[in-house]
């Protein structure tokens, strides 16, 4: 079922949770709503579900506006963050609930319900646990029961609110892969909310990045990651260093060093901010070109090494992440003076005075390695 | 230890061979918060004596006095027509009051826990009113409203309805006094559970009634039973409010507590204690079930351990 959201507004008292959302979701898509808390992502999910009603706007399910219909008429599957399994019912009864409560003339026979529940249990790999109570299951198992329960009513769209939020890191990773496979098997249009960018990047076909009740950027995962349209998106996907710089013509200056020539610059000269991910910074010895920095700390965190350094010109702290096997890592010691190289970065006009809620206008100027020449 | 003392100029002199260090006790008491033994024992003793003197002794006395003239006198006192009428009236009153408060309590707790509306805190405060008002005042209020010279009394009398000094008045006063028990028990419980279970049921296509019956009610059943239990105990034992409004008409408007008082004032001590022993038994039964509920379903009651 394809879903189209048109100009949806929702406020709670003075707080604007959704300020005019437009979004198209294709049938069978797996889409992530990603954003910090208070960004409106959960409200959007609940508005689609019918657990909240928008102040105005349309929610079209396959062309039919459902915005005023209560949740029970929408035939959606909703998986709650804490699962909301019925504690006094067994796994079997939980999954069968949506079928058993149907009016008599629409209710499947007892044997049909049984067959459907067992089929779903098989799908979520919990066969044999149907007589357990939710309290006798692990977190990951509960999550899967909640999914099976939502799928039992053959939903037109599956909505998941922070589906892995309450699980530990290991289980979370396993379930992600599993959910992706499940989505592949069932083909149900699926929308999930998360604040974990890694989860969104790994799972979704497309991601919707939300901030302050508005959509900052929508697109396929790679595209959003590689071409963040706003500083917010850049920062939200993977952390960032912001370096003050200046654009003079087509040359980018950081301090007294001219670090890049930009192709097809359309932005006038003036102060800009350079956004660089910690993983896109490299260190080279003092003879190489680049900004002079001094290493402050070096920490190993599993497969990567986290380094903090200060620029010599302004004293600005920077965080750098290198793969642990990077051949230069042994040379990086505290106090070493090295050159910083920016492998990939985005440049945005300095946006100090943009009010928080207007969509920022920054223009991407220089981005990919091929279009930027660090020297 | 060794690594630290290595750098010290002198190590402490070794203990004489005869003196051994005591090994640390297996269960170490935190000496900072532990009183000396005599303080502990005297505190325990005081508490026990108090318990014996003020709680256990009166309870035992009730049964001893009730059986002073033997079993036959005990049974006779209970099967005497006025006593039977009092028992019947008490049961009737409690049944009506508990049912009324069950419905009201559920509705109020549901509204307070699941919805946001203006005047919510006022409603919560009002529910507590019967706890803070003396029951005698509660009885008087109903006399003022429904009595012969009250606001609604003459009109009701013209239509042949008797409220004050009759069963309806007793029921009303009892409902007033036992009003908060069930609501107070359910509000924190339902607030704690939130609305996610209901939302889940609705999203699966359940109607409002199905959601209530299959999801909400099972979630609160033990808390509800607990509230009903306390409400019932109070409804059967209520004296003050009922005393004011009942008029003490033997065989007609006498509840068990009132009957006990009348018998006692007439120096029929063993009969008074016999009826009182029934109330005491009810109290013991209530306590027993309450303890069982607290032990067995503590998770559902934990939120309400305030009173």
């Amino acid at each position: 079922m394809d879903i189209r959201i048109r100009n949806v507004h929702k406020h709670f008292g003075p707080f604007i949770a959704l300020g005019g959302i437009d979004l198209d979701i294709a049938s069978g898509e797996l889409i992530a709503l990603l954003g910090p808390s208070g960004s409106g992502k959960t409200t959007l999910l609940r508005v689609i579900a019918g657990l909240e009603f928008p102040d105005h706007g349309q929610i079209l399910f396959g062309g039919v506006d459902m915005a005023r219909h209560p949740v029970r008429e929408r035939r959606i599957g909703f998986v709650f963050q804490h699962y909301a399994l019925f504690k006094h019912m067994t796994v079997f009864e939980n999954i069968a609930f949506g079928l058993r409560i149907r009016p008599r003339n629409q209710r499947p026979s007892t044997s049909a319900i049984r067959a459907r529940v067992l089929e779903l249990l098989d799908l979520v790999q919990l066969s044999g646990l149907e007589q357990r109570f939710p309290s006798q299951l692990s977190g990951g198992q509960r999550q899967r029961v909640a999914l099976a329960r939502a799928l039992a009513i053959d939903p037109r769209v599956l909505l998941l609110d922070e589906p892995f939020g309450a699980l530990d890191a290991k289980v979370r990773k396993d379930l992600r892969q599993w959910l992706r496979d499940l989505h592949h098997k069932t083909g149900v249009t699926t929308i999930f909310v998360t604040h974990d960018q890694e989860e969104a990047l790994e799972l979704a076909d497309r991601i919707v990045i939300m901030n302050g009740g508005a959509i900052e950027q929508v697109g396929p995962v790679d595209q959003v990651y590689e071409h963040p349209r706003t500083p917010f998106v850049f920062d939200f996907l993977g952390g960032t260093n912001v370096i003050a710089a200046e654009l003079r013509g087509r040359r980018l200056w950081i301090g007294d060093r001219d670090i890049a020539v930009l192709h097809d610059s359309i932005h006038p000269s003036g102060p800009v901010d350079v956004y660089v991910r910690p993983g896109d910074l490299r260190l080279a010895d003092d003879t190489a070109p680049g900004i002079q920095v001094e290493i402050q700390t070096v920490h190993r965190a599993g497969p990567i090494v986290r380094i903090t350094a200060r620029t010599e010109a302004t004293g600005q702290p920077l965080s750098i992440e290198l793969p642990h096997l990077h051949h230069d890592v042994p040379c990086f010691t505290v106090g070493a003076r090295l050159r910083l190289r920016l492998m990939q970065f985005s440049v945005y006009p300095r946006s100090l005075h943009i009010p928080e809620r207007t969509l920022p206008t920054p223009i991407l100027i220089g981005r990919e390695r091929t279009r930027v020449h660090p020297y | 230890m060794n690594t630290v003392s290595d750098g010290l100029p002198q190590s402490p002199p070794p203990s004489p061979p005869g003196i051994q260090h005591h090994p640390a006790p297996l269960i170490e008491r935190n000496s900072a918060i532990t009183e000396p033994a005599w303080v502990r024992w005297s505190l325990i003793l005081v508490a026990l004596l108090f318990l014996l003197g003020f709680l256990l002794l009166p309870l035992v006395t009730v049964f001893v006095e009730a059986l002073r003239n033997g079993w036959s006198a005990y049974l006779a006192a209970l099967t005497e027509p006025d006593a039977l009428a009092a028992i019947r009236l008490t049961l009737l009153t409690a049944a009506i009051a508990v049912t009324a408060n069950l419905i009201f309590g559920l509705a109020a707790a549901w509204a307070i826990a699941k919805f946001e509306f203006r005047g919510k805190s006022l409603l919560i405060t009002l529910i507590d009113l019967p706890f803070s008002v003396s029951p005698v005042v509660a009885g008087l209020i109903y006399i003022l409203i429904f009595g012969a010279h009250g606001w609604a009394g003459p009109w009701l009398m013209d239509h042949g309805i008797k409220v004050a000094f009759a069963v309806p008045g007793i029921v009303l006063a009892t409902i007033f006094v036992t009003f908060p028990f069930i609501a107070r028990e359910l509000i924190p419980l339902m607030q704690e559970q939130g609305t996610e279970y209901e939302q889940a049921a609705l999203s699966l296509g359940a109607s409002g009634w199905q959601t209530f019956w299959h999801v909400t009610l099972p979630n609160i059943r033990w808390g509800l039973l607990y509230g009903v239990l306390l409400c019932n105990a109070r409804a059967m034992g209520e004296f003050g409010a009922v005393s004011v409004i009942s008029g003490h008409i033997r065989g007609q408007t006498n509840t068990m507590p009132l009957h006990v008082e009348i018998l006692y004032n007439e120096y029929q001590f063993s009969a008074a204690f016999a009826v009182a022993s029934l109330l005491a038994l009810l109290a013991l039964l209530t306590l027993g079930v309450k303890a069982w509920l607290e032990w067995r379903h503590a998770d559902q009651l934990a939120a309400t351990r305030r009173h």
Side-chain angles (χ1 to χ4, degrees):
Chain A
M1 177 80 40
D2 65 295
I3 293 168
R4 278 175 292 152
I5 295 157
R6 289 283 171 272
N7 194 28
V8 163
H9 288 258
K10 175 75 188 172
H11 73 279
F12 298 106
F15 178 73
I16 296 167
L18 298 174
I21 299 284
D22 287 286
L23 183 64
D24 285 2
I25 296 159
S27 189
E29 227 182 341
L30 177 53
I31 202 161
L33 304 180
L34 179 64
S37 53
S39 61
K41 57 189 190 305
T42 301
T43 306
L44 180 57
L45 192 79
R46 292 172 63 84
V47 163
I48 297 171
L51 294 169
E52 305 280 356
F53 293 105
D55 299 335
H56 55 89
Q58 291 181 303
I59 313 275
L60 299 150
F61 279 33
V64 183
D65 186 11
M66 300 298 283
R68 302 283 141 217
H69 290 249
V71 56
R72 57 182 298 240
E73 290 171 17
R74 294 197 192 188
R75 225 180 84 216
I76 51 100
F78 200 100
V79 177
F80 290 84
Q81 188 177 358
H82 301 288
Y83 324 131
L85 294 180
F86 306 132
K87 288 177 281 192
H88 58 285
M89 296 184 199
T90 60
V91 167
F92 186 95
E93 289 164 336
N94 263 285
I95 298 173
F97 184 84
L99 301 172
R100 283 181 172 170
I101 47 132
R102 284 191 183 164
R104 193 154 288 150
N105 54 356
Q106 295 166 31
R107 192 187 309 158
S109 67
T110 311
S111 57
I113 290 178
R114 182 163 182 81
R116 176 82 177 126
V117 171
L118 294 181
E119 178 199 344
L120 283 162
L121 274 169
D122 186 47
L123 184 71
V124 299
Q125 299 163 5
L126 289 175
S127 297
L129 298 186
E130 59 265 30
Q131 292 313 317
R132 296 265 188 99
F133 283 92
S135 58
Q136 298 167 314
L137 300 177
S138 72
Q141 290 172 328
R142 286 180 206 178
Q143 169 68 277
R144 285 183 278 156
V145 173
L147 247 156
R149 184 177 71 176
L151 287 170
I153 59 166
D154 198 14
R156 300 192 285 181
V157 52
L158 188 60
L159 305 165
L160 303 103
D161 185 8
E162 301 266 5
F164 311 117
L167 300 169
D168 63 59
K170 172 79 175 68
V171 180
R172 202 185 283 207
K173 287 220 156 135
D174 294 346
L175 273 182
R176 265 185 220 163
Q177 184 55 44
W178 175 82
L179 182 64
R180 205 152 178 39
D181 294 347
L182 185 81
H183 175 256
H184 196 72
K185 259 186 254 175
T186 59
V188 180
T189 311
T190 303
I191 307 171
F192 73 98
V193 156
T194 179
H195 61 263
D196 180 348
Q197 44 103 5
E198 197 188 315
E199 197 166 285
L201 295 174
E202 193 178 319
L203 251 175
D205 299 328
R206 281 199 305 154
I207 53 179
V208 177
I209 307 229
M210 297 191 62
N211 181 31
I215 293 177
E216 291 261 341
Q217 190 169 1
V218 186
V221 171
D222 287 347
Q223 191 199 326
V224 175
Y225 191 79
E226 296 292 329
H227 301 275
R229 204 162 66 82
T230 67
F232 174 84
V233 175
F234 194 107
D235 189 30
F236 199 74
L237 294 180
T240 186
N241 292 294
V242 184
I243 305 171
E246 200 179 340
L247 200 61
R248 294 181 202 151
R250 278 166 52 196
R251 287 178 179 274
L252 185 66
W253 292 77
I254 295 178
D256 59 349
R257 296 199 81 92
D258 160 18
I259 63 150
V261 175
L262 309 172
H263 287 189
D264 32 275
S265 166
I266 49 161
H267 194 72
S269 299
V272 291
D273 284 324
V274 175
Y275 280 65
V276 204
R277 294 207 167 92
D280 289 335
L281 288 171
R282 290 289 179 271
L283 291 164
D285 64 41
D286 210 15
T287 60
I291 320 162
Q292 185 93 45
V293 293
E294 188 185 316
I295 294 185
Q296 303 282 306
T297 62
V298 179
H299 289 293
R300 168 144 191 212
I304 59 166
V305 179
R306 285 186 217 279
I307 296 170
T308 57
R310 251 176 223 287
T311 59
E312 295 216 331
T314 60
Q316 189 194 359
L318 298 166
S319 54
I320 303 160
E321 285 176 11
L322 298 171
H324 186 248
L325 293 176
H326 195 271
H327 55 92
D328 284 336
V329 165
C331 319
F332 304 147
T333 51
V334 175
R337 298 176 62 188
L338 298 159
R339 296 283 177 163
L340 185 73
R341 305 195 61 181
L342 285 63
M343 308 310 286
Q344 290 193 65
F345 56 88
S346 295
V347 180
Y348 301 92
R350 178 110 12 115
S351 51
L352 292 177
H353 301 295
I354 292 179
E356 208 179 298
R357 284 210 24 85
T358 56
L359 269 178
T361 48
I363 311 141
L364 189 73
I365 328 175
R367 184 66 191 70
E368 291 153 301
R369 229 175 302 186
T370 52
R371 296 167 62 198
V372 175
H373 302 269
Y375 63 94
Chain B
M1 194 61 194
N2 285 336
T3 51
V4 174
S5 59
D6 276 350
L8 293 175
Q10 259 187 341
S11 56
S15 316
I19 299 172
Q20 287 184 344
H21 285 291
H22 290 286
L26 286 178
I27 300 166
E28 207 166 345
R29 282 223 177 79
N30 183 345
S31 57
I33 57 160
T34 305
E35 302 297 335
W38 68 269
V39 176
R40 273 185 277 135
W41 284 112
S42 35
L43 282 174
I44 291 172
L45 197 68
V46 168
L48 273 179
L49 282 177
F50 202 83
L51 205 67
L52 276 175
F54 283 87
L55 294 178
L56 207 57
L57 196 63
L59 193 65
V60 172
T61 313
V62 169
F63 290 99
V64 169
E65 288 294 326
L67 294 169
R68 184 173 290 271
N69 296 339
W71 264 107
S72 52
Y74 180 76
L75 289 178
L78 292 184
T79 49
E80 175 242 345
D82 284 351
L84 282 179
I87 293 170
R88 263 199 303 275
L89 181 59
T90 300
L91 291 177
L92 176 74
T93 308
I96 298 173
V98 169
T99 311
N101 282 329
L102 181 72
I103 294 166
F104 165 78
L106 264 174
W110 171 275
I112 287 168
K114 313 278 178 184
F115 301 99
E116 288 303 323
F117 54 90
R118 234 177 250 270
K120 189 161 146 176
S121 51
L122 184 71
L123 180 59
I124 296 174
T125 315
L126 268 181
I127 288 173
D128 274 346
L129 183 70
F131 275 162
S132 51
V133 168
S134 161
V136 177
V137 177
L140 277 175
I141 293 166
Y142 285 103
I143 296 274
L144 278 179
I145 299 173
F146 298 113
H149 304 289
W151 299 338
W155 184 87
L156 284 170
M157 219 107 72
D158 290 347
H159 291 77
I161 304 167
K162 211 161 155 25
V163 176
F165 310 120
V167 175
I170 295 172
V171 171
L172 281 177
T174 308
I175 290 177
F176 179 87
V177 173
T178 56
F179 201 71
F181 283 96
I182 293 172
R184 264 331 238 173
E185 181 64 30
L186 293 183
I187 289 167
L189 181 64
M190 288 171 96
Q191 272 175 335
E192 191 186 74
Q193 286 178 345
T195 53
E196 227 173 50
Y197 298 105
E198 282 78 12
Q199 289 175 2
L202 291 172
S203 79
L204 292 166
S207 65
W209 177 249
Q210 283 173 320
T211 303
F212 175 76
W213 194 250
H214 293 294
V215 176
T216 310
L217 205 55
N219 268 345
I220 58 166
R221 57 190 160 181
W222 299 115
L224 189 65
L225 184 57
Y226 191 89
V228 164
L229 199 70
L230 296 183
C231 181
N232 182 58
R234 180 66 192 264
M236 290 192 176
E238 177 52 31
F239 179 81
V242 172
S243 172
V244 175
I245 204 166
S246 87
H248 301 264
I249 307 166
R250 277 197 180 194
Q252 284 181 38
T253 64
N254 248 1
T255 61
M256 281 163 74
L258 301 184
H259 191 59
V260 171
E261 192 211 17
I262 288 182
L263 291 174
Y264 186 82
N265 287 344
E266 292 172 353
Y267 304 102
Q268 303 185 38
F269 294 131
S270 81
F273 278 109
V275 179
S277 73
L278 278 188
L279 286 168
L281 275 177
L282 169 77
L284 288 177
L285 189 72
T286 305
L287 273 182
V289 181
K290 184 168 166 279
W292 177 79
L293 274 177
E294 280 170 0
W295 168 70
R296 185 71 185 71
H297 299 284
D299 52 329
Q300 271 201 33
L301 304 170
T304 55
R305 278 293 163 69
R306 296 176 198 134
H307 47 253

